[in-house]
């Protein structure tokens, strides 16, 4: 089991600094998670740390492709507004 | 502990009256109210001293991308080189690259006195990158002062580290002291390995900010407080904030206008939260000024700004250009010392000199706001070329700088970015709107069309003082208006033709 980073990532390093497994590394066009190292923070923290600090919605998904921070969940911007501004996606 | 504050209240409260700096802003002796050790720390700091910002340069290095809170006026996705606002950068640097850049800039621009780390995230959410940069720089260019800006969340745990690195200037952004207000500004914080939303998160942030402020001032580290004025959210509340931070020893309060354009993709931008008008900003700054020194020359610069405040030279110092520069570091430091000493000498000389109260203006004359297209302290810009207007208030007590107002729109988004496809007419109308509340606009030259439109808007264009020192020109025009008797309350028409 491992989380993944999507194209929404802005490469801000926040997740790299808080990952207890050093599983996240800089890459182009965006950061990536080493799925051999990622434990989804089980045993270390109540919630995966990358998803707990990530400022960008839709940037982190689980193995099923579900967003850990779905559209609107961090900013509180209503879904209709996100759609109007082209900031909404159903899937990663 | 309460530190003395810089006074840049209305001239009648400052000794001597009138502002005699050749540029804009504080009476030169405003800094003399501070004890010598504090004055020595701020007199060559372009962001803290209104007077110094005409002569000394600063730069920010973008080594701190990560952040531990979300603010509703910030969007972490944005990177546009045409924009100038906090949180925006073009090129993220490693500490090694940052040092290389600072040394190159400090050699090329010997007026440089200050290196700040201000983002694009929160410097203290990037402690390793931030403190490594400070450590290397204090070894290689010990004459450069260090400063750091923070949202305050991690401040208490790094106060010792800040003191250790000899960082004697810290800016904390404090937008509220009430968690209910805070919840409208900060949707969440990252704290103790959890994301905490709403009032609970805002409460922790506020506690940490206040604790950090107290810890810094008790160690004698200078603290400036930045606040973003958000109409309807924290406008009235900021008066309370100003009182509290002053009581805790902050020496300067900088109230800045919210920037919220929909194309920035921020919560406030998308939700159409209004920005404050220049009048709202000035009223609030004046209201807070009764309690503490206010800063009015802030240009809300980028997290990778380079050069004099208001004149960004970042484009000259991209990493690829720096890589091919040939820099003699030792010689650069010697040259900096000479340049700094001569500027300080000049400022010291000005400081001893106070202007007498202007003569010949009838008591009870009302103050008049004037906009100036100025450069380097002179009425030097063509009306149509001015990227900003400096706003001055003339009164029987003298001339004081109020603010600057930008004439250009911020980046209009992807499609129009940098193309200047705006209709000249609407641009002119908008620029005239920027001058609302002003009765005169001073510039070196002005075209026929804007002249007519300005007059129609009740603003008198004036091109008769080209290349004269701004404050003298403003006072001359004020006296001319006063001589017509139009400034006294008894007259029927107060409007300047």
């Amino acid at each position: 089991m491992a989380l993944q980073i999507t194209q929404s990532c802005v490469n801000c390093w926040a997740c790299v600094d808080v990952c207890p497994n050093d599983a996240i590394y800089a890459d182009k066009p965006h950061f990536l998670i080493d799925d051999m190292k990622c434990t989804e923070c089980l045993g270390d923290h109540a919630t995966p740390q990358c998803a707990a600090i990530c400022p960008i919605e839709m940037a982190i998904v689980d193995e099923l492709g579900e967003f850990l921070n779905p559209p609107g969940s961090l900013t509180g911007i209503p879904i209709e507004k996100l759609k109007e501004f082209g900031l909404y996606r159903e899937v990663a | 502990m309460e530190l003395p504050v810089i006074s840049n209240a209305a001239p009648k409260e400052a000794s001597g009256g009138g502002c005699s700096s050749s540029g804009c802003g504080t009476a030169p002796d405003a800094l003399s109210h501070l004890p010598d050790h504090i004055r020595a720390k701020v007199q060559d700091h372009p962001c803290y001293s209104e007077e110094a910002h005409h002569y000394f340069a600063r730069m920010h290095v973008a080594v701190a991308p990560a952040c531990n809170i979300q603010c509703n006026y910030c969007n972490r996705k944005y990177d546009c080189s045409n924009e100038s606002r906090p949180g925006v950068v073009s090129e993220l640097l490693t500490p090694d690259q940052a040092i290389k850049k600072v040394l190159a800039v400090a050699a090329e621009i010997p007026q440089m006195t200050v290196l700040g780390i201000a983002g694009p995230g929160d410097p203290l959410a990037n402690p390793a990158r931030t403190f490594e940069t400070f450590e290397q720089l204090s070894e290689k260019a010990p004459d450069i002062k260090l400063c750091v800006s923070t949202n305050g969340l991690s401040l208490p745990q790094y106060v010792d580290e800040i003191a250790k690195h000899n960082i004697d200037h810290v800016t904390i952004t404090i937008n509220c002291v009430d968690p209910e207000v805070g919840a409208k500004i900060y949707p969440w914080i990252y704290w103790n390995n959890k994301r905490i939303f709403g009032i609970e998160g805002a409460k922790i942030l506020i506690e940490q900010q206040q604790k950090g402020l107290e810890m810094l001032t008790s160690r004698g580290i200078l603290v400036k407080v930045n606040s973003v004025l958000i109409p309807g959210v924290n406008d009235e509340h900021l008066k309370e904030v100003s009182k509290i931070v002053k009581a805790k020893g902050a020496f300067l309060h900088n109230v800045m206008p919210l920037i919220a354009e929909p194309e920035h993709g921020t919560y406030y931008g998308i939700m159409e939260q209004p920005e404050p008008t220049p009048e709202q900003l000035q009223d609030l700054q004046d209201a807070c000024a009764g309690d503490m020194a206010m800063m009015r020359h802030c240009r809300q610069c980028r997290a990778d700004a380079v050069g004099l405040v208001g004149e960004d030279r970042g484009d000259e110092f991209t990493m690829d250009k720096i890589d091919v520069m040939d820099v003699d570091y030792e010689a650069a430091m010697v040259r900096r010392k000479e340049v700094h000493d001569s500027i300080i000498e000049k400022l010291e000389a000005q400081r001893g000199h106070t202007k007498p109260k202007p003569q010949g203006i009838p008591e009870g004359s009302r103050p008049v706001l004037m906009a100036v297209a100025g450069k380097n302290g002179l009425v030097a810009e063509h009306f149509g070329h001015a990227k900003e207007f400096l706003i001055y208030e003339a009164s029987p007590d003298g001339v004081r700088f109020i603010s600057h107002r930008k004439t250009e729109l911020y980046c209009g988004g992807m499609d129009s970015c940098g193309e200047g496809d705006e209709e000249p007419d609407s641009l002119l109308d908008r620029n005239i709107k920027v001058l609302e509340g002003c009765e005169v606009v001073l510039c070196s030259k002005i075209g026929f069309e804007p002249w007519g439109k300005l007059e129609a808007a009740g603003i008198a264009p004036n091109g008769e003082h080209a290349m004269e020192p701004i404050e003298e020109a403003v006072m001359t025009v004020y006296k001319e208006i006063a001589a017509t008797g139009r400034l006294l309350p008894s007259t029927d028409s107060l409007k300047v033709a």
Side-chain angles (χ1 to χ4, degrees), chain B residues 195-215:
Chain B
R195 197 189 309 264
I196 299 174
F197 291 87
I199 292 179
E200 195 192 342
K203 184 166 177 282
I204 296 167
L205 176 63
I206 290 165
E207 285 167 1
Q208 293 292 106
Q209 289 172 335
Q210 295 297 320
K211 194 172 158 195
L213 168 60
E214 290 164 24
M215 290 169 77

Side-chain angles (χ1 to χ4, degrees), chain B residues 46-334:
Chain B
C47 310
Y48 284 13
S49 162
E50 218 164 331
E51 190 185 15
H53 93 272
H54 296 292
Y55 307 101
F56 291 111
R58 54 74 180 104
M59 71 182 289
H60 292 162
V61 285
V63 296
C67 198
N68 47 14
I69 70 172
Q70 177 69 51
C71 304
N72 279 333
Y73 44 76
C74 177
N75 174 5
R76 304 305 317 284
K77 286 179 220 170
Y78 219 98
D79 171 23
C80 173
S81 57
N82 283 350
E83 269 208 277
S84 176
R85 62 188 168 99
V88 173
V89 300
S90 296
E91 197 175 31
L92 197 64
L93 305 177
T94 64
D96 289 342
Q97 288 173 315
I99 295 305
K100 202 167 175 185
K101 179 170 179 178
V102 176
L103 294 174
V105 170
E108 206 68 22
I109 307 178
Q111 296 86 347
M112 195 184 124
T113 50
V114 173
L115 168 78
I117 299 183
D122 186 74
L124 300 181
N126 304 258
R129 290 179 282 270
T130 295
F131 290 115
E132 193 196 324
T133 306
F134 284 140
E135 184 154 348
Q136 279 198 43
L137 192 74
S138 50
E139 249 171 56
K140 290 175 183 161
D143 60 317
I144 303 286
K145 285 171 192 276
L146 308 175
C147 62
V148 66
S149 304
T150 178
N151 61 42
L153 182 62
S154 299
L155 185 53
Q157 77 183 94
Y158 291 114
V159 166
D160 288 339
E161 189 95 355
I162 286 169
K164 192 185 102 189
H165 286 88
N166 219 9
I167 298 163
D168 48 15
H169 308 78
V170 175
T171 296
I172 315 174
T173 299
I174 299 180
N175 294 321
C176 54
V177 289
D178 175 350
E180 294 200 15
V181 176
K184 296 177 191 161
I185 303 170
Y186 308 105
W188 56 264
I189 66 167
Y190 174 81
W191 179 248
N192 285 345
N193 302 104
K194 286 197 285 281
R195 197 189 309 264
I196 299 174
F197 291 87
I199 292 179
E200 195 192 342
K203 184 166 177 282
I204 296 167
L205 176 63
I206 290 165
E207 285 167 1
Q208 293 292 106
Q209 289 172 335
Q210 295 297 320
K211 194 172 158 195
L213 168 60
E214 290 164 24
M215 290 169 77
L216 287 170
T217 55
S218 72
R219 281 167 172 75
I221 297 170
L222 289 185
V223 181
K224 166 172 131 262
V225 169
N226 277 353
S227 299
V228 180
L229 167 56
I230 310 160
V233 174
N234 70 350
D235 37 5
E236 282 302 305
H237 185 60
L238 283 182
K239 295 174 190 168
E240 175 77 7
V241 171
S242 207
K243 277 190 196 128
I244 290 174
V245 300
K246 183 211 169 186
K248 292 188 177 176
F251 84 106
L252 190 59
H253 190 192
N254 178 22
V255 178
M256 306 177 296
L258 170 72
I259 300 171
E261 304 290 335
E263 57 270 24
H264 294 157
T266 61
Y267 174 86
Y268 284 145
I270 287 177
M271 301 306 281
E272 296 171 43
Q273 162 69 41
E275 297 175 350
T277 63
E279 290 80 7
Q280 282 176 316
L281 178 66
Q282 189 188 329
D283 287 350
L284 192 82
Q285 287 178 334
D286 286 345
C288 294
D291 292 301
M292 85 180 296
M294 297 299 294
M295 176 163 142
R296 299 178 196 262
H297 69 281
C298 175
R299 301 296 208 281
Q300 296 176 281
C301 53
R302 296 163 58 96
D304 57 3
V306 171
L308 289 169
V309 175
E311 296 177 5
D312 192 56
R313 294 178 60 184
D315 288 350
E316 297 169 40
F317 300 97
T318 54
M319 277 328 285
D320 53 337
K321 289 178 186 157
I322 289 165
D323 280 338
V324 295
M325 280 183 191
D326 186 19
V327 182
D328 181 343
Y329 301 113
E330 292 300 318
M333 195 148 46
V334 173

Side-chain angles (χ1 to χ4, degrees), chain B residues 328-379:
Chain B
D328 181 343
Y329 301 113
E330 292 300 318
M333 195 148 46
V334 173
R335 174 136 182 266
R336 277 202 298 279
K337 170 111 178 66
E338 289 166 9
V339 170
H340 294 181
D341 286 351
S342 80
I343 297 172
I344 291 284
E345 205 174 304
K346 188 176 165 193
L347 291 177
E348 289 287 348
Q350 286 179 5
R351 194 162 290 127
H353 166 84
T354 52
K355 270 191 180 172
K357 192 173 156 160
Q359 299 296 307
I361 299 166
E363 270 311 313
S365 292
R366 66 181 173 83
V368 169
L369 281 187
M370 301 190 201
V372 181
K375 204 171 185 182
N376 302 326
L378 303 176
V379 181

